[in-house]
Amino acid sequence: MQDTDPAPPLDQAASLAAWIRLELTPGVGRVTVHCLLERLRTPQAIFSAGYHVLAGLVSSARARVLSEPPSQLVAQRIDAALTWLDAPGRHLLTPDDAAYPGLLRHIPDPPFLLYAIGRTELLAGPAVAMVGSRNASVQGLSNAGNFGHALSEAGLTIVSGMALGIDAAAHEGGLRGVGSTVAVIGTGADRIYPRRNERLARRIAEEGCIISEYSLGTPPASANFPRRNRIISGLSCAVLVVEAAAGSGSLITARMALEQGRDVFAIPGSIHSALAKGCHKLIKEGAKLVESVGDLLTELCLSPMAEPSAETAPGYCGAAHALLEAMGHGPVNTDALAALTQTAPAFLAGQLLTLELAGHIERLPGGLFQRINR
């Protein structure tokens, strides 16, 4: 459990209230906020400047709303946010806060505020972003978990977006190592989305850190998730795309990483797998191909470490072992397997079902099967 945080001093509470009010002021967007902060330095100075000073910096409509007292709705939301912050392990990181991540200060369009739950010290350490498909294959999930674990054991924090699939597996892997994990979410920090990740979110809040740039109560909206990707890459020294289709949102994160001067890595897959097309596209465009954790650690100038060894199918021999060997490591259909192993279709179907139930192969769309390397 998190230790109980002391209540903030009155002047600090007033400062936080001013930051929250500035965020919630209707009609005042990020560009206006950055302009005003450049000239007046703090939200409190903005709200005390008066209409005539503000009208010299922004439009008369914006100057008027900033110089008037907050509406009842805004005042209620400010009070609700301050109450939320009173709970243990909850933080609001402003640009003048020492805990605000240094790497984010230098990206285009840095987040105005960061609501955080958990270990904010993780935001200052070395980190690698891991992203990929929501509808991941079993092999992709295994790769994400293994890479996340090994990189975390090497002292790197795993950053991802807490989506289903690759994100969730990467977070789980990060939690198993000393580096832990940071989840950057596309809703308010008081919401859990998707609901299927509720247990994972609670673990990250206790053992890692959850952050959001969105005000409390913000529901999931399609525009929020691509936008939060710039924070995922911005917090990290590199981005690893584990598994992605050609149109995956993970490619947005990779593009943002390149714009921010971060290294981009990708794990290749089978030429027959739709979930490998995005990774292959990135590699063609210059992303660094990664086959092992050691590859990535070497590129990052960190010492490679012992990786989890690939497991064979324990207790299997004879026909089942021959079947696994014949499958190789790419998707294959039953006709090809029958020809390779000289096995009768009925017997082959039984062997495939046995291996699938044991977790050594997965069934793919189109009647294909693929071996799982753990």
Side-chain angles (χ1 to χ4, degrees), residues 152-185:
S152 180
E153 281 294 292
L156 293 162
T157 297
I158 304 303
V159 180
S160 199
M162 211 167 73
L164 299 174
I166 296 299
D167 285 18
H171 286 307
E172 294 277 8
L175 287 168
R176 297 202 306 270
V178 296
S180 196
T181 192
V182 169
V184 184
I185 61 175

Side-chain angles (χ1 to χ4, degrees), residues 94-313:
T94 68
D96 59 4
D97 193 315
Y100 187 95
L103 284 175
L104 288 186
R105 295 182 190 276
H106 305 293
I107 67 170
D109 191 16
F112 170 46
L113 295 177
L114 286 174
Y115 292 84
I117 308 174
R119 299 171 54 197
T120 55
E121 70 272 14
L122 294 174
L123 303 176
V128 169
M130 290 181 60
V131 295
S133 173
R134 285 174 170 79
N135 300 310
S137 68
V138 175
Q139 184 64 72
L141 296 174
S142 177
N143 287 342
N146 287 338
F147 270 76
H149 179 204
L151 292 170
S152 180
E153 281 294 292
L156 293 162
T157 297
I158 304 303
V159 180
S160 199
M162 211 167 73
L164 299 174
I166 296 299
D167 285 18
H171 286 307
E172 294 277 8
L175 287 168
R176 297 202 306 270
V178 296
S180 196
T181 192
V182 169
V184 184
I185 61 175
T187 65
D190 56 338
R191 295 200 170 207
I192 295 175
Y193 180 83
R195 271 294 175 191
R196 284 166 58 186
N197 278 345
E198 182 171 1
R199 180 176 295 180
L200 173 62
R202 298 194 186 286
R203 277 196 68 199
I204 296 174
E206 288 288 332
E207 303 171 37
C209 187
I210 297 174
I211 64 170
S212 173
E213 67 175 324
Y214 296 105
S215 58
L216 298 180
T218 300
S222 57
N224 292 357
F225 296 94
R227 182 167 178 76
R228 64 89 196 266
N229 291 350
R230 80 192 194 288
I231 302 177
I232 293 175
S233 56
L235 280 171
S236 311
C237 60
V239 171
L240 173 63
V241 183
V242 178
E243 186 177 68
S248 171
S250 304
L251 305 188
I252 298 174
T253 309
R255 175 176 55 78
M256 290 179 170
L258 292 172
E259 292 172 355
Q260 295 166 352
R262 310 300 196 251
D263 289 327
V264 175
F265 300 87
I267 298 176
S270 167
I271 60 172
H272 303 292
S273 172
L275 288 173
K277 300 298 184 185
C279 289
H280 292 172
K281 181 176 185 293
L282 289 173
I283 292 168
K284 288 177 183 177
E285 294 174 350
K288 298 172 184 178
L289 186 152
V290 169
E291 294 179 311
S292 69
V293 174
D295 290 343
L296 199 151
L297 292 174
T298 299
E299 288 287 343
L300 296 178
C301 300
L302 297 170
S303 299
M305 54 184 296
E307 300 177 44
S309 58
E311 295 180 7
T312 57

Side-chain angles (χ1 to χ4, degrees), residues 137 139 143 268-273 310-312 323-332 337 360-362 364 369-374:
S137 68
Q139 184 64 72
N143 287 342
S270 167
I271 60 172
H272 303 292
S273 172
E311 295 180 7
T312 57
L323 178 56
L324 282 174
E325 291 298 310
M327 291 185 76
H329 298 282
V332 61
L337 284 173
H360 299 302
I361 65 173
E362 67 174 312
L364 303 176
F369 291 86
Q370 183 171 11
R371 184 174 180 173
I372 301 170
N373 299 309
R374 298 188 184 279

